[in-house]
């Protein structure tokens, strides 16, 4: 994979740089960080017993050169001012979203783990390289916000398709998206059911116009101070493929999701 990209939402041509190769190849982008196996030796066995796998976050070294506004190799040189601006832009201390222009169906968050290393040729020209560590062992689909207006009264059904194609450590394809339930009707029992997985997320004593934010086992409410204790402790997740869902009372529901993908 070479050429144009987006870093922190900024297109590479506006930075005046482009990728000339990844690692030691001019057309190589890692799809998966790999995984290691944890085994346990067992007495009287002549081989180790499989325990689990541990996924390894993606690492990649990218080589960049300078280009003009049209993405064509530039005659610009690596002056101290230019190097300072490049270093300031790339050397972040928090994960930044990266996306290659040739495939905008997936993104990854990366952090630089090396210095900006410059290889100069004559007249201050050349290329620079940076090694990045991803925060995940895989790429992700761009963030999607699925909004469902469920305010017509009674039990209301809808569906969401889980597009994850990489197994988790348990061999499943489950995804735990961020969930926002807002404009909730007052009710003693609010139930969000996933009939596909057979699981229910339930809350009691919901006041009118409550808003609940939920991700994995972190739950916060705008009005109710004791919402965690009024929760049945079942996290919201999407199982493999089609998920058929329903709510027991009026609300507007948002699902913020990214799917791990090759």
């Amino acid at each position: 994979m070479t050429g144009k990209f987006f870093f922190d939402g900024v297109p590479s041509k506006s930075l005046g740089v482009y990728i000339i190769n990844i690692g030691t190849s001019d057309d190589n982008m890692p799809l998966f960080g790999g995984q290691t196996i944890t085994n346990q030796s067992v007495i009287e066995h002549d081989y180790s017993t499989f325990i689990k796998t541990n996924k390894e976050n993606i690492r990649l070294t990218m080589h960049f050169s300078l280009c003009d506004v049209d993405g064509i190799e530039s005659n610009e040189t690596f002056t101290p001012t230019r190097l300072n601006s490049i270093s300031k832009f790339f050397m972040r201390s928090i994960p930044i979203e990266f996306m290659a222009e040739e495939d905008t169906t997936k993104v990854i968050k990366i952090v630089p783990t090396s210095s900006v290393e410059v290889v100069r040729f004559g007249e201050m020209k050349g290329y620079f390289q940076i090694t990045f560590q991803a925060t995940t062992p895989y790429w992700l689909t761009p963030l999607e916000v699925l909004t469902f207006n469920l305010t017509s009264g009674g039990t209301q059904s809808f569906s969401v398709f889980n597009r994850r194609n990489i197994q988790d450590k348990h061999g499943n394809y489950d995804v735990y998206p961020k969930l926002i339930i807002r404009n909730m009707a007052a009710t003693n029992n609010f139930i969000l059911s996933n009939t596909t997985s057979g699981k229910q997320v339930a809350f009691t004593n919901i006041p009118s116009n409550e808003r609940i934010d939920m991700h994995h086992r972190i739950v916060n409410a705008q009005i109710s101070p004791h919402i965690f204790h009024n929760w049945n402790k079942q996290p919201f997740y999407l199982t493999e493929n089609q998920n058929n869902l329903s709510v027991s009372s009026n609300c507007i529901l948002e699902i913020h999701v990214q799917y791990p993908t090759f």
Side-chain angles (χ1 to χ4, degrees):
M1 194 289 298
T2 60
K4 301 174 185 177
F5 61 92
F6 296 87
F7 189 83
D8 198 16
V10 179
S12 58
K13 66 179 181 180
S14 69
L15 299 173
V17 299
Y18 72 111
I19 299 172
I20 54 177
N21 68 313
I22 307 291
T24 58
S25 171
D26 62 358
D27 193 19
N28 178 31
M29 176 65 78
L31 297 180
F32 184 68
Q35 54 190 10
T36 57
I37 295 177
T38 299
N39 291 325
Q40 183 176 24
S41 297
V42 180
I43 297 176
E44 305 296 338
H45 281 212
D46 57 359
Y47 59 89
S48 298
T49 299
F50 172 83
I51 302 298
K52 63 178 181 178
T53 56
N54 294 296
K55 290 180 171 57
E56 301 170 347
N57 289 357
I58 291 175
R59 291 181 62 88
L60 62 164
T61 299
M62 290 192 278
H63 299 75
F64 306 88
S65 191
L66 302 179
C67 66
D68 61 23
V69 293
D70 295 318
I72 301 171
E73 186 174 358
S74 172
N75 289 322
E76 185 182 2
T77 58
F78 283 106
T79 63
T81 300
R82 190 73 172 95
L83 284 174
N84 285 338
S85 66
I86 289 172
S87 300
K88 180 180 180 180
F89 184 79
F90 281 104
M91 302 308 290
R92 311 292 185 92
S93 297
I94 58 175
I96 298 299
E97 187 176 273
F98 171 85
M99 176 172 60
E101 188 177 73
E102 70 178 29
D103 187 358
T104 58
T105 63
K106 58 187 183 181
V107 300
I108 197 169
K109 289 191 174 181
I110 55 178
V111 178
T113 57
S114 73
S115 60
V116 177
E117 300 175 10
V118 183
V119 178
R120 292 188 178 125
F121 306 131
E123 300 179 351
M124 299 288 283
K125 296 180 181 179
Y127 65 90
F128 64 95
Q129 64 185 43
I130 308 174
T131 299
F132 295 92
Q133 172 85 51
T135 58
T136 54
Y138 36 67
W139 293 76
L140 298 166
T141 59
L143 177 66
E144 296 178 64
V145 180
L146 309 175
T147 303
F148 301 92
N149 191 337
L150 306 166
T151 56
S152 59
T155 299
Q156 299 164 80
S157 301
F158 59 103
S159 63
V160 177
F161 192 86
N162 176 0
R163 301 199 308 274
R164 176 173 183 153
N165 62 14
I166 298 177
Q167 288 184 330
D168 62 19
K169 65 179 181 180
H170 303 294
N172 301 320
Y173 294 89
D174 298 339
V175 172
Y176 290 76
K178 179 181 179 181
L179 183 69
I180 297 177
I181 313 169
R182 54 186 175 87
N183 296 76
M184 300 177 72
T187 179
N188 290 329
N189 294 287
F190 175 87
I191 299 175
L192 168 59
S193 299
N194 187 334
T195 57
T196 304
S197 66
K199 302 296 184 180
Q200 291 185 334
V201 177
F203 296 94
T204 59
N205 302 321
I206 299 298
S208 180
N209 292 320
E210 179 64 285
R211 171 186 166 130
I212 296 175
D213 290 44
M214 180 179 188
H215 195 200
H216 293 282
R217 297 186 181 276
I218 299 175
V219 178
N220 294 291
Q222 200 168 59
I223 300 175
S224 308
H226 305 297
I227 194 64
F228 186 84
H229 302 288
N230 296 341
W231 170 44
N232 69 341
K233 310 304 184 290
Q234 172 62 53
F236 176 73
Y237 70 92
L238 301 173
T239 191
E240 185 178 3
N241 295 326
Q242 185 81 5
N243 287 254
N244 298 314
L245 308 162
S246 66
V247 295
S248 60
S249 60
N250 290 1
C251 67
I252 295 175
L253 190 144
E254 295 179 7
I255 299 176
H256 298 229
V257 63
Q258 289 182 285
Y259 303 105
T261 186
F262 285 115

